[in-house]
Amino acid sequence: MLIFDSGIGGLCILNHIKKILPNMNYIYMLDNQAFPYGNKKECFIIERSIKIIKTIKKKYPINIVIIACNTASTIGLSLLRKTFNFPIIGVFPDIESAKQLTKNKIIGLIATKATVNSFYTKNIICHNPSNYIVKIIATNKLALIAEKKIRGIKIKKQEFQKIFKAWTTLSVQPDTIILGCTHFLFLKKDIKEILYKSIYFIDSKEAVVYKIKKYLQQLNIKQNIQENIIFYSKYNNNLKELLYFLKKYHFKKIKNINLN
């Protein structure tokens, strides 16, 4: 199984997979050279995703791929599924689950600008029933903040206040928030401190694991990866700071891979 993201956001997805499917081995592709995907053009994201899958497929017998990034999923999943003949699973803003949980029918969606501007997201917002209100914050800053937080850099509360000002000034705030970027799962506590405490958070962890289990059963997919490996696309100071955090995932190998 290959899981990839431009940063550490996909590790939240990986961690949940490990809990539900503890015997699965995996390759995690940390495409830090291209971080963040949220400010890249659609053609770059699609070409990069294809390059990652093809490059790793040449070296390892992967038979299922998880795009652990809302931006890459909303932009490229349909094309990637046409390009490859094995299961590819993406993560998406889950408005349907938010509708089921919200009490005041005001839903918040926070995602990268690329995710918000994607055809997928615009389409689901357009077809949203009129009795629900979806408030959107499109920002690329939160993913950068999450990466800093994981590396132990202290984040000022004012940075969150600026991002969420559009919601904190509302007379009635969203009671259900869709985390439309896997990086944001690391920031739940920080977001709660800015907004009032009674918040339902929606993400795609459960949906991803459900789809993996479904493919494993229906297609009788065998475990081909023998050890847990993490690849990175660029060695830099930020990666050096991340290495301590990555230890808890028990990767047997941490290696560079050339995607250029």
Side-chain angles (χ1 to χ4, degrees):
M1 178 167 59
L2 166 64
I3 304 164
F4 76 90
D5 188 12
S6 65
I8 49 85
L11 291 171
C12 286
I13 302 295
L14 169 58
N15 200 39
H16 193 65
I17 293 170
K18 284 174 62 179
K19 289 178 183 176
I20 309 300
L21 301 167
N23 297 321
M24 284 290 294
N25 289 327
Y26 44 82
I27 294 171
Y28 188 89
M29 179 66 223
L30 175 71
D31 188 16
N32 59 325
Q33 184 182 41
F35 174 81
Y37 285 159
N39 64 9
K40 302 293 189 297
K41 293 182 178 179
E42 290 192 1
C43 59
F44 173 87
I45 292 168
I46 293 168
E47 289 171 4
R48 191 73 168 184
S49 299
I50 292 171
K51 181 73 171 179
I52 287 170
I53 297 171
K54 283 186 174 180
T55 302
I56 294 179
K57 181 66 175 172
K58 286 179 182 177
K59 297 174 180 288
Y60 294 92
I62 57 171
N63 49 26
I64 187 166
V65 173
I66 316 299
I67 309 173
C69 169
N70 284 262
T71 299
S73 297
T74 54
I75 289 170
L77 180 63
S78 60
L79 183 58
L80 291 175
R81 283 180 169 168
K82 293 175 183 176
T83 305
F84 299 97
N85 62 357
F86 45 78
I88 301 180
I89 299 168
V91 292
F92 296 90
D94 188 356
I95 288 186
E96 288 306 313
S97 292
K99 289 179 193 174
Q100 294 173 24
L101 284 173
T102 181
K103 303 299 183 187
N104 65 6
K105 295 191 176 183
I106 302 176
I107 298 166
L109 168 61
I110 183 158
T112 66
K113 292 178 181 178
T115 298
V116 169
N117 290 327
S118 69
F119 173 80
Y120 173 88
T121 304
K122 286 183 176 180
N123 188 48
I124 59 173
I125 296 297
C126 179
H127 289 90
N128 179 57
S130 59
N131 56 326
Y132 291 91
I133 297 172
V134 180
K135 297 290 185 179
I136 298 173
I137 292 178
T139 177
N140 294 332
K141 292 180 180 178
L142 269 189
L144 297 168
I145 287 172
E147 292 273 338
K148 288 180 181 179
K149 180 180 178 180
I150 292 305
R151 302 200 317 270
I153 299 172
K154 190 172 178 61
I155 310 299
K156 293 180 180 179
K157 191 174 182 179
Q158 290 91 324
E159 292 190 53
F160 289 99
Q161 289 173 332
K162 286 179 183 178
I163 292 170
F164 287 94
K165 185 177 179 181
W167 289 355
T168 56
T169 54
L170 292 171
S171 57
V172 182
Q173 296 178 2
D175 69 345
T176 304
I177 296 176
I178 302 165
L179 300 175
C181 172
T182 51
H183 277 79
F184 302 168
L185 276 71
F186 288 105
L187 302 174
K188 286 183 180 180
K189 183 179 177 182
D190 305 278
I191 295 171
K192 275 191 174 184
E193 288 179 358
I194 297 300
L195 305 173
Y196 63 74
K197 302 297 180 184
S198 181
I199 296 172
Y200 300 102
F201 285 111
I202 304 291
D203 59 66
S204 302
K205 298 193 306 292
E206 299 290 345
V208 168
V209 172
Y210 172 80
K211 289 175 184 176
I212 293 172
K213 291 169 75 174
K214 183 179 176 182
Y215 280 125
L216 291 176
Q217 292 168 1
Q218 287 185 349
L219 303 179
N220 195 27
I221 294 174
K222 305 294 184 186
Q223 170 74 273
N224 291 327
I225 306 298
Q226 300 305 314
E227 56 187 358
N228 300 327
I229 305 167
I230 182 168
F231 286 108
Y232 58 88
S233 52
K234 184 178 182 179
Y235 188 82
N236 54 24
N237 288 333
N238 288 352
L239 180 71
K240 285 166 64 177
E241 293 170 354
L242 272 179
L243 291 179
Y244 179 78
F245 171 76
L246 293 173
K247 285 182 180 179
K248 74 176 188 177
Y249 290 89
H250 305 294
F251 293 108
K252 293 293 182 183
K253 294 179 182 177
I254 299 178
K255 302 168 66 176
N256 176 248
I257 194 167
N258 185 11
L259 295 173
N260 297 319

